[in-house]
Structures are given as structure tokens and as C-alpha cells.
Amino acid sequence: MATERPDLAAMLYPLVRKLIAIELPVLAAHDVSMWGYSVLTALDDTPVRTQAALAEAIGADKSRIIGTLDELQQAGLIERTPDPDDRRVRLLSITPEGRRVRRAVRRGIQAQEQQVLEAVPLVDRKTFIRILQQIHASR
């Protein structure tokens, strides 16, 4: 009989809280919110999106991200242009500065994550990250 273990959420939730806590100073140093970073990441992965498609991709309500989009546009990190086929729709794209900020934030976050992962042997770290990537890709 297998030994009992805590539920996955019970094991992951403290880790997620710790990861968010180490991300916040990195985001603040680049003057980007968590939602802003999510937007930049989504736009860097798929260059042109509508606001509705972006909201769905990052799991946000489309009316909720408007303020974030305004902030990112004012900072020169994204562009919103009218769709030539439907003037009511705005097409979103990341600017070169937005791409630079997104990559700098990712590097900073991943450097902080390394400190958390150092407690785990390298081979297990690689396996853990590979499994998380598989789970992420399957959603």
C-alpha cells in the first residue's frame, strides 16, 4: 500500500506563495505589475492579439485588463492599433522596449527561482521543471 501524501494543491500552494513573493520585487524594479508581465509574456509569445483573445489567454476578464493595457501603452511597452477589418477591435503588439522589459523580468524571476530550487539536487530540478512544462503545455 502506498504511503499517503498531501494533496497536490496543499503541497504546491506554499511554493506558489513563496514564488509570488520573490517575483514582486523583480516586477517592482521594472515598474510592471503581475498582470502587466502576463500581458507582455502573452504578446511576446503571439505578437498580435485582440483584447478579448488576450484576456482569455491570460485568464483575465477583458474589462479588467484595460487599465493594465493603458499602463503598458503609456510606458511604451505595447501598442494598440485599430483592426483594419473592424474599427471597434484593437490589435495588441509588444514593442521592442516591452520585449526588453519582459525578458529582463523573466531573467530576474528565474534567478530568484534558482535560489528556491537550490535545495533540490540538479537532476531532480531538471525533472521537476520538465514535468511542470508538460503539465503547462497540456492545459
Side-chain angles (χ1 to χ4, degrees), residues 17-79:
R17 284 184 40 214
K18 183 173 186 166
L19 293 172
I20 290 170
I22 65 173
E23 287 179 8
L24 291 176
V26 175
L27 294 165
H30 294 279
D31 201 25
V32 178
S33 68
M34 189 83 65
W35 281 114
Y37 178 60
S38 294
V39 167
L40 293 175
T41 298
L43 292 178
D44 203 14
D45 292 343
T46 306
V48 180
R49 291 183 184 257
T50 65
Q51 290 178 190
L54 173 69
E56 184 177 329
I58 65 171
D61 181 88
K62 64 182 177 181
S63 63
R64 180 190 170 143
I65 65 165
I66 292 172
T68 299
L69 296 176
D70 290 343
E71 290 169 8
L72 293 172
Q73 185 175 15
Q74 288 169 0
L77 304 180
I78 67 165
E79 292 178 345

